[in-house]
Amino acid sequence: MDCTINLESTNQYESFILPEAPHLLSAEEASQRLGVRPASLYAYVSRGLVRALPHPDDPRARLYERADIDALIERKRRQARPSAAAATALDWGLPVLATSISSIADGHLTYRGRDAVELSETATLEEAAALLWQMPAPDFEARPSPPSLAGSPIDRAVAALAADLPATLFGERSGRLARRANHGVGRIAAAVAGGPLGMGPLHVALAEAWSAPDAADAIRRALVLVADHELNASTFAVRVAASTGASLTHAIIAGLVTLAGPIHGGATQRVAAFLDEVGRIGDPNEAVRARLARGEPVPGFGHRLYPNGDPRARSLLATIPLAPEQEALLASVEAATGELPSIDVALVILERNYTLPRDAALALFAIGRSVGWIAHAMEQAESGQLIRPRAAAA
């Protein structure tokens, strides 16, 4: 069996992409793109490396995910050059850490083996925290209102946690660690909400603080959907901090400041600016064409881990009444680029359609993700491993 991929031949088969389904390839097209015989393609399918789907017009044929084919080509390229594999590991490359907290595979996000979208149908953030932390469900304490703070939701959350640093200890464990975790999420929530929060489930308290009781269930779902996402940039920052023995509060602050970046959680602000741009132009098709003509990507659309669309966005948008112009925009972007909305777009649409405060999308991201950060900080501290990669000479 010939399982060798001819890397020199991969670009000449671009024309084989099915026009009605650009993300799917026929068996012949997939085999030629890989540079192998069909038998080798079928072997990749049997090993779970390539997804095969029924052909809509031929019950005897199958179609193959182009993203899986391309990923397999890249995997073989990196394996052929170990030094290249190591150098690219920090750029959507090979896995570098083992975790039992969450995983992304075949278009699904799971929290400790449970599908995150299914969990979000009914669970609260408190229940998601119990699952991720493997502790009893927290109440996030009384969520004391911090002093009036300026800046973005991230700035306010960092300032609120920084005020707690004198009381934090290194190496907290058991009950004290659980109390620190509860308090940390509560402080972040109170800080980013911009005002005092009442008791009860956090999503209800946020909806009340923002004078949007009708948004409570959408907020609940959003918080659960963003609670964790494998080894993203902010989570990696948290794990690096925790690996040094830093306190849980220090580690969470590392996650917050990383989340602020415009190509991470701060992407919600870029999405909001784009929606404003669409509103000024008045025509979604024209706004998308103008972006692409300038060589600029449409922010918030497409995700490298979800070639068939972000399931978190799909789940959240299905529960939010969309305005006609929003539906038109989503259709325009998909028609022009083939890309579907990510969770960043869904969070901004939630913010706008329920008239939440500006940057509520980023606030929800920070609150929900803090639960995952805490789980990762705990797991990393338990491992006792210092994260210390090496650098290559430039």
Side-chain angles (χ1 to χ4, degrees):
M1 180 181 293
D2 179 11
C3 292
T4 302
I5 294 178
N6 182 358
L7 298 178
E8 299 299 325
S9 65
T10 57
N11 290 331
Q12 59 182 306
Y13 299 106
E14 293 290 340
S15 60
F16 289 154
I17 299 168
L18 297 176
E20 67 277 13
H23 63 287
L24 297 175
L25 301 172
S26 70
E28 179 184 6
E29 295 159 354
S31 298
Q32 291 187 2
R33 186 171 179 81
L34 285 168
V36 301
R37 293 194 295 265
S40 298
L41 172 65
Y42 306 147
Y44 291 137
V45 173
S46 68
R47 290 160 57 192
L49 297 175
V50 175
R51 287 167 289 176
L53 304 172
H55 195 294
D57 301 321
D58 184 352
R60 298 170 300 176
R62 307 284 282 177
L63 297 175
Y64 303 87
E65 286 284 354
R66 182 189 182 197
D68 293 348
I69 300 297
D70 291 345
L72 187 55
I73 292 170
E74 181 61 23
R75 176 177 175 176
K76 291 293 184 179
R77 179 181 285 116
R78 288 174 173 172
Q79 288 176 345
R81 298 176 57 206
S83 61
T88 58
L90 299 182
D91 181 25
W92 304 85
L94 299 174
V96 296
L97 283 173
T99 179
S100 61
I101 296 169
S102 70
S103 66
I104 303 166
D106 298 327
H108 294 277
L109 168 65
T110 58
Y111 297 161
R112 295 199 183 274
R114 292 192 58 182
D115 187 277
V117 170
E118 292 180 3
L119 185 68
S120 74
E121 296 290 334
T122 58
T124 64
L125 185 63
E126 288 83 353
E127 291 166 338
L131 172 65
L132 293 172
W133 300 352
Q134 296 187 307
M135 293 180 178
D139 60 12
F140 300 137
E141 297 189 356
R143 302 187 285 269
S145 176
S148 178
L149 302 170
S152 74
I154 300 296
D155 296 338
R156 299 196 298 272
V158 169
L161 288 183
D164 284 342
L165 286 177
T168 62
L169 298 174
F170 297 111
E172 292 177 320
R173 292 289 185 270
S174 303
R176 186 177 180 90
L177 181 62
R179 289 191 295 275
R180 182 71 60 196
N182 293 352
H183 184 73
V185 178
R187 288 288 277 180
I188 291 171
V192 303
L197 295 179
M199 296 300 294
L202 190 53
H203 64 279
V204 174
L206 287 167
E208 291 176 349
W210 288 334
S211 301
D214 291 345
D217 193 65
I219 290 173
R220 176 196 61 75
R221 186 183 297 263
L223 291 172
V224 174
L225 289 170
V226 302
D228 200 55
H229 204 235
E230 199 210 59
L231 201 60
N232 55 83
S234 57
T235 298
F236 188 63
V238 167
R239 293 195 74 125
V240 170
S243 80
T244 70
S247 73
L248 182 60
T249 304
H250 285 98
I252 298 172
I253 291 174
L256 283 167
V257 295
T258 307
L259 185 71
I263 56 175
H264 192 10
T268 56
Q269 296 170 319
R270 295 168 59 218
V271 170
F274 175 62
L275 293 185
D276 291 341
E277 180 181 319
V278 174
R280 289 192 299 272
I281 294 174
D283 181 350
N285 290 318
E286 178 58 32
V288 172
R289 281 195 297 268
R291 276 266 172 170
L292 298 179
R294 297 195 300 267
E296 299 175 6
V298 181
F301 286 81
H303 197 295
R304 291 177 67 171
L305 296 179
Y306 302 116
N308 296 325
D310 188 336
R312 302 168 300 168
R314 187 162 52 243
S315 172
L316 186 55
L317 289 172
T319 68
I320 303 173
L322 299 182
E325 58 270 21
Q326 291 170 338
E327 293 180 339
L329 175 60
L330 300 185
S332 295
V333 175
E334 183 177 5
T337 68
E339 302 287 7
L340 297 170
S342 70
I343 190 64
D344 303 301
V345 173
L347 289 172
V348 174
I349 289 179
L350 186 159
E351 172 190 309
R352 298 204 168 189
N353 289 19
Y354 286 104
T355 321
L356 304 183
R358 184 175 181 83
D359 286 337
L362 182 55
L364 292 173
F365 207 152
I367 297 168
R369 186 57 55 84
S370 68
V371 166
W373 292 335
I374 289 169
H376 281 273
M378 292 174 174
E379 185 180 66
Q380 187 63 43
E382 187 67 24
S383 75
Q385 176 190 11
L386 174 67
I387 298 175
R388 205 297 189 186
R390 291 294 309 279

